[in-house]
Amino acid sequence: MSATHNTTNPPKPFRIFIGYDPCEHIAYEVCRYSILKRSTIPVEIIPIKQSELRNNNHFWRERNKLESTEFSFTRFLTPFLANYQGWALFVDCDFLYLGDVKELHDVIDDKYALMCVKHEYVPTETTKMDGAVQTVYPRKNWSSMVLYNCGHVKNRVLTPEVVNSESGAYLHRFMWLEDDEIGSVPFVWNFLVGHNKVVEGDETTCPKAIHFTSGGPWFEAWRDCEFGEVWVREMEEYEKVKEKEKKVGDCCK
């Protein structure tokens, strides 16, 4: 009898693009760590760094005073950076993942151009993070965590030229799409600190991904925010793992 060989290719990693800002480096590292720690599927994590995009002539628009992070606009380059192929996740760096991203991947529906949590959110504070102006607009926070169907024909409009020239309203409100082309994701995958609430006895309200949208404990002014201690524990664990890996690396030199 001849042996049969499994020629099935291994699954491609789920691409996750995280918005990066040098002012929130530790937030990025903890977000990345929390994803990798809990994921049961292969993932590829790519930071969206404005400096690199500028060096590669993919981003050239001037920053205005209403942009609270370096990825306010660069986030919309996700389909372009994914070569307009397959699905990819974009997420702000101020997230902490408590759930397995496989569960998020499992809600993907190819009939949509993108999927997100459709918050009805009006912030009460006037500033956020380290003093940035808190802006109010329709579909606020929808763009902070997006599953992009990068191969969808409608998302091919998101070229560097468009991302560098279109208004914040056009991009953050997904105005290149019809309403029925935007799918919905359970709110627990973009659980807004200070807005969303856990209902006692209802597991469907427990956060899978905590979003410190107004500011996280890596900022002094937000050190005591709700869920802050959860983030700090994750940060301390990340630093211990990093230190252990460093010692192993030093021993192998």
Side-chain angles (χ1 to χ4, degrees):
M1 293 179 64
S2 60
T4 57
H5 298 280
N6 184 0
T7 58
T8 303
N9 293 324
K12 291 184 178 180
F14 181 37
R15 294 163 299 175
I16 301 175
F17 293 83
I18 302 179
Y20 180 86
D21 191 308
C23 295
E24 299 184 83
H25 176 76
I26 188 61
Y28 164 79
E29 292 289 357
V30 174
C31 177
R32 178 181 182 273
Y33 175 77
S34 70
I35 293 170
L36 293 172
K37 172 184 172 182
R38 296 171 175 86
S39 179
T40 59
I41 58 173
V43 296
E44 178 186 4
I45 295 180
I46 307 106
I48 294 185
K49 294 185 175 182
Q50 189 179 122
S51 59
E52 293 178 359
L53 294 171
R54 289 188 182 278
N55 289 340
N56 292 323
N57 295 316
H58 296 325
F59 192 74
W60 55 85
R61 74 186 293 161
E62 292 184 10
R63 184 169 179 174
N64 68 56
K65 62 183 180 180
L66 294 179
E67 293 175 47
S68 58
T69 68
E70 285 197 0
F71 49 88
S72 293
F73 285 100
T74 57
R75 70 184 68 220
F76 299 105
L77 289 170
T78 295
F80 167 78
L81 295 172
N83 297 314
Y84 301 109
Q85 295 178 351
W87 282 82
L89 173 68
F90 170 82
V91 63
D92 287 3
C93 66
D94 55 358
F95 273 65
L96 176 67
Y97 277 79
L98 303 181
D100 182 351
V101 291
K102 178 186 183 299
E103 298 175 41
L104 184 58
H105 186 272
D106 286 346
V107 308
I108 284 174
D109 190 329
D110 286 333
K111 74 179 180 181
Y112 296 116
L114 62 78
M115 302 178 71
C116 66
V117 177
K118 298 179 177 180
H119 287 296
E120 294 182 9
Y121 172 61
V122 179
T124 56
E125 63 277 349
T126 57
T127 61
K128 63 178 183 177
M129 299 182 190
D130 54 349
V133 175
Q134 178 68 276
T135 54
V136 180
Y137 51 86
R139 296 183 172 179
K140 185 172 178 65
N141 267 309
W142 287 29
S143 64
S144 60
M145 192 285 295
V146 182
L147 284 163
Y148 281 101
N149 186 353
C150 301
H152 194 283
V153 64
K154 285 288 194 77
N155 288 330
R156 288 187 173 272
V157 75
L158 295 177
T159 61
E161 290 72 22
V162 166
V163 173
N164 279 280
S165 61
E166 275 291 357
S167 67
Y170 177 86
L171 294 166
H172 285 280
R173 299 179 198 175
F174 308 144
M175 291 175 67
W176 69 93
L177 299 174
E178 301 297 328
D179 288 354
D180 62 3
E181 293 170 326
I182 304 171
S184 185
V185 172
F187 80 92
V188 291
W189 288 104
N190 190 347
F191 189 101
L192 301 179
V193 173
H195 174 68
N196 293 125
K197 301 297 180 185
V198 177
V199 177
E200 188 174 352
D202 185 354
E203 291 188 359
T204 65
T205 65
C206 293
K208 302 278 189 180
I210 299 171
H211 184 188
F212 297 93
T213 180
S214 296
W218 53 94
F219 291 123
E220 186 64 37
W222 296 91
R223 194 59 55 93
D224 298 322
C225 65
E226 186 182 13
F227 296 106
E229 73 285 354
V230 181
W231 185 90
V232 170
R233 284 199 300 271
E234 194 85 1
M235 182 267 292
E236 291 172 344
E237 183 180 305
Y238 154 74
E239 291 187 332
K240 287 179 181 177
V241 170
K242 183 180 178 182
E243 183 62 27
K244 185 176 181 180
E245 290 174 348
K246 182 177 182 300
K247 288 180 179 178
V248 171
D250 291 342
C251 290
C252 295
K253 287 181 179 178

